[in-house]
Amino acid sequence: MTEPAEIFSSVEARTVYHKWEVKYEIKSPDCYKKLVITINGRSPGPTIFAQQGDTVFVELKNSLWTENVAVHWHGIRQLGTPWSDGAEGVTQCPILPGETFIYRFVVDRAGTYLYHGHYGMQRAAGLYGSIIVSLPEGVPEPFSYDYDQNIILNDWYHASTNEQAAGLSAIPFVFVGEPQSLLINGRGKYNCSLSTASGSAAGVCNTTNPECSPYSLTVVPGKTYRLRIGSLTSLSALAFEIEGHDMTVVEADGNYVEPFAIRNLYIYSGETYSVLVKADQDSSRNYWATINVVARNPATPTGLAIFNYNPNHPQKQPPTAPATGPLWNDTASRLAQSLAFRARQGFINKPPVTADRVIVLLNTQNKIDGHFKWSLNNLSLILPQTPYLVALKENLTGAFAQDPPPDGYDVANYDIHSLAENVNATSSNRIYRLRFNSTVDVILQNANSMTVKNSETHPWHLHGHDFWVHGNTAPLHPYGWTALRFRADNPGVWAFHCHVESHFYMGMGVVFEEGIEKVGELPSSIRGCGES
């Protein structure tokens, strides 16, 4: 069931209007009761449905009472509205408890997108949802299907995000650990016997709670379905599959790709895909749809949903055991999927032939005054109290350090496969200032963490832009590298960071500025903190 939205039409375009209240409620998405951040009582929040060219207008009231909030519109480029990107500390001051804030932006391109909290670690507390942008009426897709369905994936922790953040900032360091459950469209199932064994109060976990019954996707035999699959996990890379069914990938992050068939869809936090699935199996039974953790040694049970063939009962369990997924450490198959992506013929936007600037970023785990951090070129990002967008537009030079961060590191003398001799790094709020309309190459190099023979997977997300992948792959695999090229043609200030929630919280990100002089007058609503 979708959240009602008001739509106001005109000859030129439409405005899609949502009114949201963000607050904590007690929910049981995996049968275990805990405080969850909801939008209008729901987590995941309402799906935003719009058409290419529409203006989306979200009036958001923060009813958390003791916490600030900000919401990022993931994949929306915010052309002409950088102040609506929703990145606290970068493009706006946070929305204070009791305040109402208006996000207004144009969805300039059809595709599958996401939204989520971008203050602290609130995405992991349930503040997330989907954005579906359709083509203008009469414009066909380059592939055919009968029905369109949306699936959003997440991992789920029982500890609050405040507890997790406290552990990440503590000495000794306390990592968030592996999630307790995996959710498909906000539903999972925790083993309540584990809850009893750990001393939780009676009634905290209840497997008969209808809130945690498996999500069921009902299909008509013989029909083809476009499944729009997005992941907003806090930590986990996932493998998604539908028992007995092939999938054909046709869209990635809002871009059409050359179709290719898969059984397992590897999906990393912040990514979206469209796959085509035909309901062509034995219709007398239902099938499992599953998600399993990859890229980390899993300690989390398989996430389950039901691929329900009509007229079987939606909750009728399949007669087979759920798939346990591919080997978690099979990096080769994950890399092979990454390398299979090609822009679809007829929809190719060719990259510039050469770059004007090359920035090489070494991705390392470090310590600062005894605290565990993640760094790039030995700098761990801390966001200033005054948002960069405001500080730059109003020339508040004291709001953050003005000297630029380094464009590279000592490649010849750094061994990415070994523990660093010196793990100390520096906190920094310095930013990269890019010449407007220039072409920029960013080369990300992964390295050993502070654990022997360990290098983690990092899914990288660039606000305000698409990018071309020129080497390796967009998810940064263990000890791997990737080369990204983008054009700095969107006036504003944009975060570029690892989409693992704890990694960004611990400093794994940088900020780019481009064309700040071309940004229009800033709305007063984004001010009110720091020097603004």
Side-chain angles (χ1 to χ4, degrees):
M1 184 176 180
T2 58
E3 188 75 12
E6 294 183 65
I7 299 177
F8 303 94
S9 299
S10 69
V11 175
E12 294 80 17
R14 310 180 306 170
T15 297
V16 179
Y17 177 84
H18 282 261
K19 188 173 185 178
W20 289 357
E21 183 180 19
V22 174
K23 64 179 180 179
Y24 274 111
E25 295 190 17
I26 296 175
K27 296 284 187 182
S28 303
D30 68 344
C31 308
Y32 186 95
K33 285 184 182 177
K34 64 166 286 187
L35 281 174
V36 176
I37 297 182
T38 64
I39 299 174
N40 297 352
R42 297 168 51 189
S43 174
T47 298
I48 295 176
F49 292 97
Q51 193 176 89
Q52 181 177 311
D54 286 353
T55 296
V56 175
F57 186 104
V58 179
E59 180 182 326
L60 187 154
K61 181 181 180 182
N62 179 8
S63 292
L64 297 179
W65 300 120
T66 59
E67 292 183 34
N68 301 330
V69 75
V71 174
H72 169 54
W73 315 95
H74 186 111
I76 306 301
R77 292 180 290 185
Q78 300 294 348
L79 304 178
T81 53
W83 47 79
S84 281
D85 187 52
E88 179 269 334
V90 179
T91 61
Q92 70 168 94
C93 293
I95 307 166
L96 301 179
E99 285 190 347
T100 296
F101 186 91
I102 292 173
Y103 289 103
R104 183 178 181 276
F105 53 89
V106 173
V107 287
D108 67 295
R109 183 181 53 178
T112 308
Y113 306 105
L114 304 163
Y115 66 81
H116 58 82
H118 217 288
Y119 177 84
M121 296 173 64
Q122 290 176 342
R123 168 161 59 93
L127 183 52
Y128 69 102
S130 299
I131 305 171
I132 307 300
V133 182
S134 61
L135 286 166
E137 292 180 17
V139 178
E141 300 274 10
F143 44 83
S144 60
Y145 54 92
D146 299 299
Y147 298 103
D148 196 331
Q149 297 284 349
N150 183 44
I151 296 174
I152 191 164
L153 310 176
N154 207 352
D155 49 13
W156 195 247
Y157 290 84
H158 293 168
S160 72
T161 52
N162 291 328
E163 290 176 90
Q164 293 179 49
L168 296 173
S169 304
I171 300 177
F173 174 72
V174 181
F175 187 54
V176 297
E178 302 304 312
Q180 278 66 61
S181 303
L182 301 176
L183 307 183
I184 301 177
N185 277 0
R187 293 168 177 264
K189 186 150 289 188
Y190 180 65
N191 182 350
C192 285
S193 64
L194 299 176
S195 169
T196 305
S198 65
S200 297
V204 169
C205 196
N206 177 10
T207 56
T208 65
N209 189 325
E211 285 185 52
C212 60
S213 60
Y215 168 70
S216 182
L217 172 60
T218 300
V219 298
V220 176
K223 299 297 184 182
T224 298
Y225 289 78
R226 177 185 188 172
L227 304 184
R228 299 175 182 263
I229 304 169
S231 174
L232 280 172
T233 52
S234 303
L235 176 68
S236 309
L238 300 173
F240 173 86
E241 68 177 292
I242 301 172
E243 178 191 3
H245 293 73
D246 289 324
M247 298 179 284
T248 301
V249 182
V250 293
E251 178 211 354
D253 296 329
N255 295 280
Y256 296 128
V257 298
E258 282 294 317
F260 64 95
I262 53 170
R263 268 297 170 104
N264 279 288
L265 174 69
Y266 294 112
I267 184 167
Y268 304 85
S269 181
E271 292 186 335
T272 64
Y273 296 105
S274 284
V275 300
L276 302 182
V277 181
K278 188 172 184 179
D280 58 1
Q281 299 300 302
D282 177 6
S283 61
S284 67
R285 52 161 292 194
N286 289 340
Y287 298 81
W288 292 114
T290 58
I291 49 175
N292 286 281
V293 172
V294 292
R296 302 181 64 85
N297 194 350
T300 309
T302 299
L304 301 176
I306 295 174
F307 198 66
N308 164 232
Y309 273 75
N310 186 63
N312 297 315
H313 191 281
Q315 290 298 314
K316 179 183 177 183
Q317 292 220 344
T320 48
T324 55
L327 291 174
W328 70 269
N329 58 354
D330 184 3
T331 304
S333 68
R334 291 187 282 120
L335 179 59
Q337 179 187 291
S338 297
L339 296 174
F341 286 98
R342 296 288 185 273
R344 188 164 186 138
Q345 292 296 317
F347 298 89
I348 296 175
N349 182 15
K350 291 185 178 181
V353 176
T354 59
D356 301 301
R357 183 175 180 181
V358 178
I359 299 171
V360 183
L361 299 174
L362 176 67
N363 192 110
T364 56
Q365 192 178 41
N366 302 88
K367 281 189 176 181
I368 299 177
D369 298 327
H371 296 274
F372 277 52
K373 297 289 183 180
W374 286 96
S375 304
L376 295 156
N377 294 351
N378 227 42
L379 298 180
S380 184
L381 179 65
I382 52 170
L383 297 174
Q385 291 185 324
T386 306
Y388 290 113
L389 183 62
V390 176
L392 287 160
K393 190 65 180 171
E394 300 185 357
N395 200 30
L396 303 175
T397 56
F400 65 93
Q402 297 297 300
D403 53 322
D407 276 15
Y409 70 100
D410 186 1
V411 177
N413 294 305
Y414 193 96
D415 180 5
I416 65 166
H417 296 281
S418 303
L419 291 175
E421 292 183 11
N422 181 359
V423 297
N424 292 316
T426 304
S427 296
S428 171
N429 58 19
R430 297 148 68 182
I431 67 171
Y432 291 94
R433 313 240 3 213
L434 308 177
R435 180 167 57 83
F436 184 67
N437 219 28
S438 63
T439 299
V440 181
D441 277 358
V442 176
I443 300 173
L444 289 158
Q445 175 64 64
N446 209 349
N448 206 98
S449 70
M450 288 194 296
T451 301
V452 176
K453 295 183 179 179
N454 173 262
S455 180
E456 299 194 16
T457 299
H458 304 289
W460 279 83
H461 172 54
L462 175 59
H463 292 223
H465 301 77
D466 281 337
F467 52 73
W468 293 275
V469 181
H470 278 256
N472 202 317
T473 172
L476 192 59
H477 292 298
Y479 301 108
W481 63 276
T482 187
L484 313 175
R485 179 168 292 178
F486 70 96
R487 192 180 290 282
D489 58 358
N490 190 5
V493 188
W494 309 105
F496 178 51
H497 61 90
C498 176
H499 216 259
V500 170
E501 191 84 312
S502 55
H503 292 181
F504 183 45
Y505 181 83
M506 294 164 65
M508 195 187 297
V510 298
V511 175
F512 297 122
E513 175 275 324
E514 60 203 56
I516 192 68
E517 70 284 352
K518 299 180 183 298
V519 173
E521 184 178 353
L522 302 181
S524 60
S525 57
I526 70 169
R527 299 181 175 88
C529 57
E531 294 184 25
S532 68

